Amino acid sequence: MASRIDLLAWLLDSDPAIRWQVERDLVNEAPTVWAATRASIATEGFGARLLSLQDRDGQWAGGAFFPAEFDFAGPEAAEQSSQPWTATTWTLNSLREWGLDAGVLRERRTAELLAENCRWEYEGRPYWDGEVDCCINAWTVANGVWLDMRVDELADWFVRHQLPDGGWNCEWIEGSTRSSFHSTSIHSKGFSRTRSRPGEQLRRARLDDPVRNSCCSAVCSGDSRPGNRWGTGSAGSRTRSGGVTTCSTQPTTSAKRRCRMEMSLIREWRTRSR
């Protein structure tokens, strides 16, 4: 078995995105040391590579959640298929989690460019308005706060879509009424960045303690109800009927396909991240 020293040496001989966290959390280096390593994310290795791939319109790979060339009607959209994970949301998540200084992207006007040019594949909604998936919206809140973009209305979305047991589930759109531990944990991490400016609605919803009762499984079991969950109310509204959160829009076939594909990809991402 490798010794602790060998493991630390291996971790330290790595990309700055990893190395600065090892220096700070495992080796207890002085702040000046790990801060210098962290600053190099923008100019070396993984971070520099992703920054070099940013499109002139602020996006990555020309899309919000999927690359622009992704074929929703082709074999890559099949049930067990995947996508390249190169679009804007995944790239922002990586850069933020690696510890890139947000000032690098602010200098590029990334948030403003995304507001102007980036639209979700689901119904073409503006990027910072989010969409219907709570995991996607949680990442969008986290990335928005990171980039100093106002995402208050998207934060309020979570209050309106909190499930009776206190948490959230990405598959609420399919009728799930049981919270997912995984979806709720992503939400909690996203909202941990908003505590410096919590609104009254967030306090009432007790978002600092989102799992009020039993947020039980990472995959909903038994509480999804089959059938049509696209109601007939006014466009864009969300209603609750018989304990099931329903969407009152009438999405197109392509929008439904995108939504199903997004959920399939998030399931795959969950499996890979365990």
Side-chain angles (χ1 to χ4, degrees), residues 91-237:
T91 303
L92 287 178
N93 287 350
S94 294
L95 292 172
R96 172 173 51 80
E97 291 172 359
W98 291 344
L100 176 74
D101 182 354
V104 174
L105 294 180
R106 292 188 196 120
E107 289 179 3
R108 297 179 173 211
R109 298 187 62 251
T110 296
E112 293 80 4
L113 288 171
L114 292 179
E116 296 168 9
N117 303 308
C118 192
R119 296 292 182 271
W120 291 105
E121 293 80 8
Y122 183 86
E123 295 189 334
R125 295 168 57 86
Y127 189 75
W128 297 115
D129 286 359
E131 50 129 272
V132 298
D133 186 287
C134 64
C135 292
I136 291 174
N137 286 347
W139 289 322
T140 306
V141 167
N143 290 330
V145 173
W146 179 51
L147 297 177
D148 279 344
M149 193 70 182
R150 290 193 67 86
V151 287
D152 302 60
E153 291 186 11
L154 183 55
D156 290 343
W157 181 94
F158 285 91
V159 178
R160 298 193 301 272
H161 291 80
Q162 192 171 23
L163 295 175
D165 63 6
W168 289 263
N169 193 322
C170 289
E171 299 196 27
W172 74 271
I173 197 69
E174 290 293 306
S176 175
T177 58
R178 171 181 290 177
S179 293
S180 155
F181 181 85
H182 188 271
S183 298
T184 303
S185 68
I186 290 177
H187 153 272
S188 300
K189 287 193 291 184
F191 268 89
S192 68
R193 297 174 174 270
T194 69
R195 287 180 178 172
S196 60
R197 53 181 185 188
E200 183 59 31
Q201 275 192 301
L202 302 185
R203 286 195 291 273
R204 286 202 302 269
R206 295 162 62 182
L207 295 182
D208 282 339
D209 182 20
V211 191
R212 293 200 299 262
N213 298 301
S214 59
C215 176
C216 23
S217 73
V219 178
C220 175
S221 58
D223 282 7
S224 291
R225 304 185 187 182
N228 179 19
R229 263 152 305 262
W230 310 95
T232 57
S234 58
S237 65

Side-chain angles (χ1 to χ4, degrees), residues 62-99:
F65 196 78
F66 298 89
E69 69 276 7
F70 192 87
D71 183 3
F72 289 95
E76 59 189 335
E79 184 67 28
Q80 300 301 319
S81 298
S82 186
Q83 64 146 308
W85 313 98
T86 54
T88 299
T89 297
W90 302 107
T91 303
L92 287 178
N93 287 350
S94 294
L95 292 172
R96 172 173 51 80
E97 291 172 359
W98 291 344

Side-chain angles (χ1 to χ4, degrees), residues 4 7-12 18-29 34:
R4 181 175 185 275
L7 288 173
L8 286 175
W10 176 68
L11 289 170
L12 288 168
I18 298 171
R19 190 166 68 248
W20 78 268
Q21 299 180 72
V22 177
E23 292 171 342
R24 183 191 65 178
D25 300 333
L26 298 181
V27 185
N28 296 319
E29 288 281 14
W34 59 256

